[in-house]
Amino acid sequence: MSEKGKGVIAYLLGWLGGLIILYGVKETTRDTRFHAAQSIVISLAYIFISVIYGFSPLTIPFFSTLLYILYALGIIFGIVRVVKEQDPELPVVGPIAKNIFGKKIEEEKGE
């Protein structure tokens, strides 16, 4: 499978796709691992915020819709960067992914 295909799968399948590409697929480039890590961060942040908001007694009109739009934009921007082979680091998400998965992203030959 091509690196573009791996990156797109990581974003489309959310945190599960990111984990599979990051830890399950051995022959990946640094950029593909970075995309996978960002996919995990974006997906888990969306899930975490949704759950917290779901239990919150405070309701903000259209918050869920706005949250989903931000999630979808993050996925779309990530996929666009994969397809165009641009620098994989997304604003805000990239530094968080580096902090959490830095060692795994920087491994030589995805080993």
Side-chain angles (χ1 to χ4, degrees):
M1 178 181 295
S2 71
E3 295 301 312
K4 285 183 184 181
K6 293 174 193 175
V8 170
I9 285 174
Y11 282 111
L12 289 179
L13 297 180
W15 63 270
L16 182 60
L19 285 175
I20 290 170
I21 299 300
L22 191 60
Y23 291 101
V25 180
K26 295 295 180 192
E27 295 298 321
T28 57
T29 64
R30 179 198 176 277
D31 286 353
T32 302
R33 290 190 302 273
F34 203 102
H35 284 298
Q38 288 182 138
S39 170
I40 295 167
V41 169
I42 290 169
S43 299
L44 291 181
Y46 173 71
I47 292 168
F48 178 76
I49 294 169
S50 294
V51 168
I52 296 298
Y53 180 71
F55 286 111
S56 171
L58 177 67
T59 57
I60 302 169
F62 304 110
F63 180 78
S64 296
T65 304
L66 178 63
L67 183 62
Y68 182 75
I69 289 170
L70 289 174
Y71 168 71
L73 286 174
I75 297 301
I76 290 168
F77 285 140
I79 291 172
V80 167
R81 287 195 179 208
V82 167
V83 173
K84 289 186 174 183
E85 296 180 358
Q86 295 175 341
D87 176 34
E89 188 169 343
L90 294 171
V92 181
V93 178
I96 296 170
K98 272 188 200 176
N99 286 336
I100 297 172
F101 299 105
K103 289 181 181 177
K104 185 65 180 169
I105 290 170
E106 299 300 330
E107 283 182 359
E108 289 295 318
K109 297 182 184 173
E111 299 174 339

